Structures are given as C-alpha cells and as structure tokens.
Amino acid sequence: MNHAAAITPAQLLAGDRRALARAITLIESTRADHRRQAEVLLEEVLPKTGRSLRIGISGPPGVGKSTFIEAFGRHAIAAGKQLAVLAVDPSSRLSGGSILGDKTRMSELSRMKQAFIRPSPAGLTLGGVARRTREALLLCEAAGFDLIIVETVGVGQSETAVAEMVDLFLLLLLPGGGDDLQGIKRGIMELADLVVVNKADGDLAPAAERAAADVANALRLMQPLHKSWSPEVLRCSALRDIGIDHVWDRAQAFATAMGASGELPARRRIQAKAWLWHELSDNLLETLKAHPAVAERLVELEDKVAAGRIAPASAARQVLAAFLGG
Amino acid sequence: MNHAAAITPAQLLAGDRRALARAITLIESTRADHRRQAEVLLEEVLPKTGRSLRIGISGPPGVGKSTFIEAFGRHAIAAGKQLAVLAVDPSSRLSGGSILGDKTRMSELSRMKQAFIRPSPAGLTLGGVARRTREALLLCEAAGFDLIIVETVGVGQSETAVAEMVDLFLLLLLPGGGDDLQGIKRGIMELADLVVVNKADGDLAPAAERAAADVANALRLMQPLHKSWSPEVLRCSALRDIGIDHVWDRAQAFATAMGASGELPARRRIQAKAWLWHELSDNLLETLKAHPAVAERLVELEDKVAAGRIAPASAARQVLAAFLGG
C-alpha cells in the first residue's frame, strides 16, 4: 500500500475523511519509509493544528464511557462542533483488537458526518500508542475537527499519557459512596479537571449524590493544578441525556478560563516540550535495546540488578559502555 | 581529598561513622575518578544491604517533619533500631544549603549514637539528588542501620522519586478539614501507606479528627496500591509524644504484612529494575545534551517545538541523527 501517493496535505486540510483515515494509518505504520512520509505530512499540516479543544476521558469499566461520549458528542455537534474520537488502549495489543474497533459502540456518532471515530492502534506498547495518538490528534485538527476526545480504558499509566496530550481531563465515576468502593485507580483523581458521576437518575440518584459529595471532599484536600480553574464535580445520566448540557457548558467554561489566563497555551507549550523529551528518551532506549552488543547483556544485568547482585549504576555504566563505545 | 584511600569496605561494614560519612561524600562527588571508586565500594558492600525498613516521609511546610522524625526516631531507637535519616531536597541546589544542613533541627537525634543524620546533597538536579540518596541508603544499610528515613520537602516530583526508593511512604498532615485547605500537592496522597495527622492535641484535636475523617474518606475512593496493606490514617502529637508509639506499631505492621505476602521483596525488585532504567535514560540524555553537535541544536529545536513550528517526532529524529550519526 503506497500511503504517500494517496494523501496530499490539501486533501487532509480540506477535511477529506478517507484521506484522514489513511493519514492516521500511515502514522501508525512502523515501516521506516512510512515514518518518513508521515513526518513530511505532519510538518506540512502543522501550522493548521492547535485549533481544537482536546478532552481526555477516563473511568472505571461499566461507567458508560461510550454512552457518555455519544451524548456529550451530540451536544457538542448541536453546538456546531466537529468531533473526532480517538482511543488510547494499550490492552488492544494483546487481542489485536481495540475498545473502539466495534463502531456499534457509538452507533449514533459513527453515522454523523460531523463525527470521526478512530480505534486505538493495535500492536504497540503504551508509549507507541500514545505517540501515534498524539500525532493522530494533530491530523484530526488539520482536517478541521475542533473538538477531540481521547478516550482511555484506565490501564496502568495510560491516563497519565492522555493527560499529557489534552487540555481538559474528564473522569467519569459510578454512583456510590461510603463503603461502595469505586476502585478509582491511584493517581487518576488528581488529573481530573471535571469529575462527572454518571447514571445519576432513578434509584441511583441518591448514591450519585453521595459519590459526588465524597469526591468533592477529596478534591478539596488537594491543591488545584491550575490557577484559573478548580476541579468541579458534576452529575449526569448519559443514557437519559440528563445534565449532559451542563457538562458541555462547564467544559466550555474551562476552555474560556484557561485560555483567558494564558494557562492553556502555556500548558500546550510544556506538553510539546515534554513530548520531545519522551520521543528522545523512548528512541534512545529503543536504539539501545536493539543494539546487538547490548541486548543480551541487558537481560542478564536487569536480572542481576533485580536480585541485588549488582548496583543499578554499575549495570547502567556497563550497558552504556557497550552501547556508546561500540 | 583522596576518598578511596580513606574508606575500606571493612570500615564501612564495621559501622564506622566517619567512614560512612566519607563514603557518602564520595558517592556525591561528580568527579569521574570518584564515581569509579564509589562504584567499586558499592559493589563490595552490596551483599550486606537490604536489611532495613525504608520509610519515606513527606508533608506540607509547617507540619512539623523534624519534630515528628525526632519523636518517631526515639521510639524506633528505644525498640533497638539503628536509624539513618537522609533527605531529598532539590531546592537546596539553589541556596547551596539544605533542609537538614542545620543539625539543630533534630538536635536530640543528632546526639544519639544510634542515629545518623545526613543533609541532602547540594548542587544537583532532582534526578541527581535521588540517585545519590539511593546509593547513600545502601551505604547506610551496609553500615548496619536497619531503619532508614528518607525525608522530602515536597518540591515538584521529589515525592515520586522518594516513593520509588522506600518500602513505606508516610504522609504527614496538619489538622483541619472542610474548608481549611491543606494544600496537599496533587499526586502525593496516592503514594501514602500511612497518613499521619500531626499536632492532634489541645485546641487542635477536633480539627485533627476532621482532617483524619476527610482523608480516610478520600482514600476509600481509591484502589489500594498493595494487596496486603490498605492505607491507614492515624493521629499524633510529635511535640507531646502522643500517638507516636502507635505510628511506630503500624509501620512495623506494614513491614510484617508486606514481607509475609512477598509484596515487599517484589516491590524492591521492581524498584531496582526501575532504577536501572532511570540510570540508563538519565545517562543517555545527559550524554546527548553534552554532545557538541547536539547541544545548540537542541535548544533551538526545543523552542520550535514549544512554539508549534516543528513536530516533536521530527525534532527528535534530527537530534538523534546528530547524536548517533556523529
């Protein structure tokens, strides 16, 4: 498949869906020539990126992420937005599938011309998925999408990776409180700019209220991440479309406040620099691991370090000598 | 100063304080020959390390960390422990001083022969401070100290670095609750195995109770980090020595539970491997930054990336080509 021949920057900038889909396939490819083509394409469309609101969404299994994204996306599209939904799901590398592979999960959005849904790239580590998703996000912006949702399934460090590429991090929670353990992964609550308790209707309304109160108390203990925004706790029912309009309003309010204070552009500059350093570090370590004189030695030394038979600094020096010296 | 001539592994293993102090000075040195001597020394004493309980302690300014460490240390020493106190304080590189430079901060401990107090190394970045502190921790263990406290002042990412080198992370908090913002840095609560509300006496007792209840609620929302230990919230008054014995008991209970389940040795193996990868990554990036063909280019590309004029992946590829190609 010759991707490059098929995609011109002009097609992408004109919002051609097929060109966008193929451009994302190109950036997901690990072939060296595809990589180079992808870089050229990204370079050319880069000036047309950055004009979207980037929202990361996470939550425990069963919280209703797809239903929420459908309802939230509907409101955004009604407000005139063009929505792209991307996923960061490193678990898909195990199955070769993806949380978003089945488009019936968001059947309504997937039929709308103002929405673009893309499954998580398979066969990559978290670092690889995150890198490709960042680039896919830029391509979607170049194609005119002005609201990007990056969904994460809550595996390991994927939330941190997502938080590093979005403007607003939204955490979905289930009703419940007191002794109903939510099982919120450690380290996720602190990333949230908006916490939304879903399924807050009918019999579950009181439990949703309790959960919202507990989370509000927990958030009050912590220093806000931003000067111009303190995290808020909201309730909604995505299934019945209750409260979704308010979530959309607060997301807009976040963008307005963070934009006016200059914190949003500052955050993006910091994210871009951090991305460069991740790229450098990941690439260096990959090059190191692929080095013939290093690979075998590394496995052996890693085991010795874990067993406490060699100090990490000594092991590192030996590996680096083999890598840089040879 | 010829450090190597002055320190033999035998002196260190015999618990000679002066040898330990000089060995730590040696590992803190950035001179290449000192570095090599330090590695040899660490290699020789490594089999005698790992026999301590490693506790990380953090908390907001004014919480009474030194007073707590004095009181806690007194109980540990009364229970037969040999205590070493190290500090991770990257802010000391600004002043050239250190939070523990003034030993009068822990005047009682500093006079006891069962205690060893060492200030944070100055003039290093957080990565450098953390690396040296990890090595100092091993040296203290080799010298016979079986309780190591690593104190952090709560600057930026220092808590994460400390959590990665200790068995138990203890967070000290002030009394207060409801609208009395504690200003707990985001991401710290999730690291805690024990949360201790200090100054829980006299007029502040009710506020301490409120703070403890709020934190207990917040912790209940999150998944525990370990299978054999759920975080606990305790109250104490370090100044009046109230409740410190209980904190000591619970620290012991943590070590017993995590040791019996095998989680503690497993955690240490994971920490050692992570340390190796930090060393590799830090060293590679330092080598890269020091490379003449790279240094200037890097500054320029970093600015362009932040300004959105070049994609991070392209910038990274250019830097790596200059580094690995030349």
Side-chain angles (χ1 to χ4, degrees):
Chain A
M1 194 166 32
N2 189 341
H3 298 279
I7 317 149
T8 67
Q11 285 175 313
L12 196 63
L13 297 174
D16 180 328
R17 296 305 174 87
R18 287 173 54 96
L20 174 59
R22 284 154 109 180
I24 296 179
T25 303
L26 178 69
I27 59 157
E28 287 173 357
S29 169
T30 51
R31 267 176 52 180
D33 57 332
H34 289 168
R35 216 41 234 142
R36 279 192 300 275
Q37 291 165 19
E39 268 188 35
V40 171
L41 183 65
L42 273 169
E43 234 29 67
E44 296 195 38
V45 302
L46 200 59
K48 301 291 182 194
T49 64
R51 293 174 200 172
S52 79
L53 175 61
R54 305 165 180 171
I55 301 183
I57 293 186
S58 185
V63 75
K65 277 197 290 294
S66 335
T67 314
F68 177 83
I69 293 174
E70 281 235 307
F72 185 78
R74 229 165 27 226
H75 280 266
I77 288 168
K81 292 285 176 184
Q82 303 270 325
L83 167 68
V85 182
L86 306 170
V88 170
D89 175 12
S91 66
S92 67
R93 80 195 149 110
L94 298 176
S95 61
S98 160
I99 48 166
L100 285 174
D102 185 358
K103 283 204 185 176
T104 59
R105 263 202 343 130
M106 295 179 198
S107 56
E108 200 181 338
L109 279 185
S110 65
R111 283 192 307 267
M112 295 175 86
K113 68 174 174 30
Q114 301 93 333
F116 176 84
I117 299 179
R118 178 75 181 196
S120 185
L124 294 171
T125 60
L126 173 59
V129 172
R131 193 186 309 179
R132 298 316 165 223
T133 306
R134 279 195 180 94
E135 293 183 345
L137 187 154
L138 295 178
L139 293 177
C140 290
E141 288 181 342
F145 291 93
D146 51 3
L147 176 66
I148 320 275
I149 289 180
V150 183
E151 181 186 2
T152 166
V153 284
V155 182
Q157 293 301 302
S158 59
E159 284 79 12
T160 311
V162 169
E164 282 184 355
M165 68 178 85
V166 298
D167 304 321
L168 186 169
F169 193 85
L170 188 157
L171 176 64
L172 281 176
L173 291 183
L174 288 160
D179 287 333
D180 302 334
L181 294 185
Q182 285 268 356
I184 303 171
K185 276 220 163 51
R186 294 263 191 137
I188 296 189
M189 183 100 77
E190 80 194 43
L191 301 170
D193 300 301
L194 287 178
V195 176
V196 181
V197 181
N198 192 18
K199 308 193 181 182
D201 59 351
D203 291 353
L204 291 174
E209 201 168 331
R210 277 203 308 280
D214 285 353
V215 171
N217 276 332
L219 287 174
R220 249 205 304 280
L221 290 171
M222 302 174 205
Q223 255 177 24
L225 280 178
H226 312 295
K227 282 188 189 138
S228 45
W229 184 262
S230 293
E232 296 182 2
V233 184
L234 313 172
R235 281 171 283 161
C236 78
S237 165
L239 200 62
R240 294 169 197 274
D241 200 1
I242 300 168
I244 300 289
D245 47 352
H246 187 54
V247 178
W248 170 245
D249 286 347
R250 298 317 294 156
Q252 297 288 102
F254 172 89
T256 304
M258 293 283 290
S261 69
E263 278 191 279
L264 192 51
R267 185 180 195 180
R268 286 189 172 185
R269 282 192 296 274
I270 292 167
Q271 286 176 333
K273 277 195 192 188
W275 180 5
L276 169 63
W277 286 101
H278 282 309
E279 286 273 343
L280 284 172
S281 170
D282 289 355
N283 275 317
L284 278 170
L285 291 176
E286 276 163 27
T287 312
L288 181 138
K289 283 183 208 166
H291 191 286
V294 169
E296 260 183 70
R297 192 122 188 71
L298 193 52
V299 175
E300 179 206 326
L301 284 170
E302 209 183 4
D303 285 345
K304 278 193 179 171
V305 162
R309 294 209 309 282
I310 183 171
S314 305
R317 195 184 39 69
Q318 289 181 36
V319 170
L320 290 171
F323 178 58
L324 298 169
Chain B
M1 192 167 36
N2 188 340
H3 298 279
I7 317 149
T8 66
Q11 286 174 312
L12 197 63
L13 297 175
D16 180 327
R17 296 303 174 87
R18 288 173 54 97
L20 174 59
R22 284 154 110 179
I24 295 180
T25 303
L26 180 67
I27 58 157
E28 287 173 358
S29 170
T30 51
R31 267 177 52 181
D33 57 331
H34 288 168
R35 215 43 232 142
R36 280 192 300 275
Q37 291 165 20
E39 269 189 32
V40 171
L41 184 64
L42 273 169
E43 233 29 67
E44 295 196 37
V45 302
L46 200 59
K48 301 291 181 192
T49 63
R51 295 175 199 169
S52 79
L53 175 61
R54 305 164 180 171
I55 300 183
I57 293 185
S58 186
V63 75
K65 278 197 290 293
S66 336
T67 313
F68 176 82
I69 293 173
E70 281 235 307
F72 185 79
R74 228 165 28 224
H75 279 266
I77 288 168
K81 292 285 176 184
Q82 303 270 324
L83 167 68
V85 182
L86 306 170
V88 170
D89 176 12
S91 67
S92 67
R93 80 195 149 112
L94 298 176
S95 60
S98 161
I99 49 166
L100 285 173
D102 185 358
K103 284 203 184 176
T104 59
R105 260 197 352 126
M106 296 180 196
S107 56
E108 200 181 338
L109 279 185
S110 65
R111 284 192 306 268
M112 295 175 88
K113 67 174 175 28
Q114 300 93 335
F116 176 84
I117 300 179
R118 178 76 181 196
S120 184
L124 295 171
T125 60
L126 172 58
V129 172
R131 194 187 308 179
R132 297 318 165 222
T133 306
R134 279 195 178 96
E135 293 184 345
L137 186 154
L138 296 177
L139 293 177
C140 290
E141 289 182 342
F145 291 94
D146 51 4
L147 177 65
I148 320 276
I149 289 180
V150 183
E151 182 186 1
T152 166
V153 284
V155 181
Q157 294 299 303
S158 59
E159 285 78 13
T160 311
V162 169
E164 281 184 356
M165 69 177 85
V166 299
D167 304 321
L168 186 168
F169 193 85
L170 188 157
L171 176 64
L172 280 176
L173 292 182
L174 288 160
D179 288 332
D180 302 334
L181 295 185
Q182 284 268 356
I184 302 172
K185 275 219 162 52
R186 294 262 191 137
I188 295 189
M189 183 99 78
E190 80 194 43
L191 301 170
D193 300 302
L194 288 177
V195 176
V196 181
V197 182
N198 193 19
K199 308 193 181 181
D201 60 351
D203 292 352
L204 291 175
E209 201 167 332
R210 278 203 308 279
D214 286 352
V215 171
N217 277 332
L219 287 174
R220 249 204 305 277
L221 291 171
M222 302 173 204
Q223 254 177 25
L225 280 178
H226 312 296
K227 282 187 188 137
S228 45
W229 184 261
S230 294
E232 297 182 0
V233 185
L234 312 172
R235 279 171 284 161
C236 77
S237 166
L239 200 62
R240 294 171 196 274
D241 200 1
I242 300 169
I244 300 288
D245 46 352
H246 187 53
V247 179
W248 171 244
D249 287 348
R250 299 316 295 157
Q252 296 289 101
F254 171 90
T256 304
M258 292 284 290
S261 69
E263 278 192 280
L264 192 51
R267 186 181 195 180
R268 285 189 173 185
R269 282 192 296 274
I270 291 167
Q271 286 176 332
K273 278 195 192 189
W275 180 4
L276 169 63
W277 286 101
H278 282 308
E279 287 273 343
L280 284 172
S281 169
D282 289 355
N283 275 317
L284 278 170
L285 291 176
E286 276 164 26
T287 311
L288 181 137
K289 282 182 208 165
H291 191 286
V294 168
E296 259 183 71
R297 193 122 186 71
L298 193 52
V299 175
E300 179 206 326
L301 284 169
E302 209 183 4
D303 286 345
K304 278 193 180 172
V305 162
R309 293 210 309 280
I310 183 171
S314 306
R317 194 185 39 69
Q318 289 181 37
V319 169
L320 290 171
F323 177 58
L324 298 169

